[in-house]
Amino acid sequence: MADPTAPTTYLAFLRAVNVGGRTVTMERLRALFTELGLSEVRSYIQSGNVFFRTDEPDRAALTRRIEQHLEEALGYPVPTMLRTVEEVEELLASDPFAGIELTPDTRHCVVFLSEPLPADLELPRSTPKGDLEVVSATPGAAFVVVHIINGRPAGNPGAAFGKTYRGHGTARFLHTTVKILAAAKKE
């Protein structure tokens, strides 16, 4: 059983980092998190995955503080989805793509959500083009099959939620999520 007084290790999944001309080095990103007083700050690959420890009890306030600091420093909003190591372990252990074959023409994506999907969104759900399919969701994540078209993954997996979704999401391939978790667990 985890010590309730011990600092929490968070994985910060950042949206809009190193895409669309919004470039930031991981060294700079780690420095920005350290400036917030967060400890043991590390990162994994260039797509905005940061791990850190903190004893701050209010995740929503911490998220707002991170987002505000990143926007002030970088000049653009960076929606941030915070998850604990345990939450990501549980997500992966749930085997959200069970029974869905991974083929050379598909990718399995986890979309970390800032808000749950609308309650009236029926799943599974495909985009009109059939290039994205939301197969299931939890309050904090949606699981999307992305089809490869002309050698590239179809558009933004969040597009499969429709216009009624007002939150933010950031996608990671399932195999990358496994690697991110393993990196976060290293001491």
Side-chain angles (χ1 to χ4, degrees), residues 79-155:
T80 303
M81 279 47 77
L82 295 181
R83 301 295 184 270
T84 65
V85 167
E86 295 78 15
E87 288 167 343
V88 177
E89 285 176 327
E90 288 173 16
L91 177 144
L92 294 173
S94 74
D95 198 11
F97 294 97
I100 300 171
E101 183 181 3
L102 182 63
T103 71
D105 296 325
T106 61
R107 299 291 181 273
H108 294 170
C109 278
V110 178
V111 181
F112 293 95
L113 304 172
S114 65
E115 305 290 331
L117 293 178
D120 62 348
L121 187 72
E122 291 186 33
L123 300 178
R125 171 192 177 95
S126 292
T127 57
K129 293 181 186 176
D131 53 353
L132 301 166
E133 181 182 2
V134 184
V135 294
S136 66
T138 67
F143 308 103
V144 181
V145 174
V146 177
H147 294 270
I148 306 299
I149 299 171
N150 297 325
R152 297 184 53 110

Side-chain angles (χ1 to χ4, degrees), residues 31-44:
L32 291 171
F33 274 74
T34 301
E35 288 170 9
L36 290 167
L38 305 171
S39 64
E40 300 177 44
V41 177
R42 297 175 293 131
S43 60
Y44 181 78

Side-chain angles (χ1 to χ4, degrees), residues 43-65:
S43 60
Y44 181 78
I45 63 177
Q46 299 295 313
S47 59
N49 309 292
V50 179
F51 327 125
F52 62 89
R53 292 178 62 78
T54 184
D55 57 6
E56 290 188 44
D58 186 337
R59 185 189 316 212
L62 176 60
T63 301
R64 286 189 301 275
R65 197 162 71 88

Side-chain angles (χ1 to χ4, degrees), residues 5-26:
T5 62
T8 301
T9 298
Y10 279 107
L11 291 76
F13 295 96
L14 308 178
R15 183 170 182 250
V17 170
N18 292 333
V19 295
R22 295 178 171 179
T23 304
V24 61
T25 67
M26 291 303 100

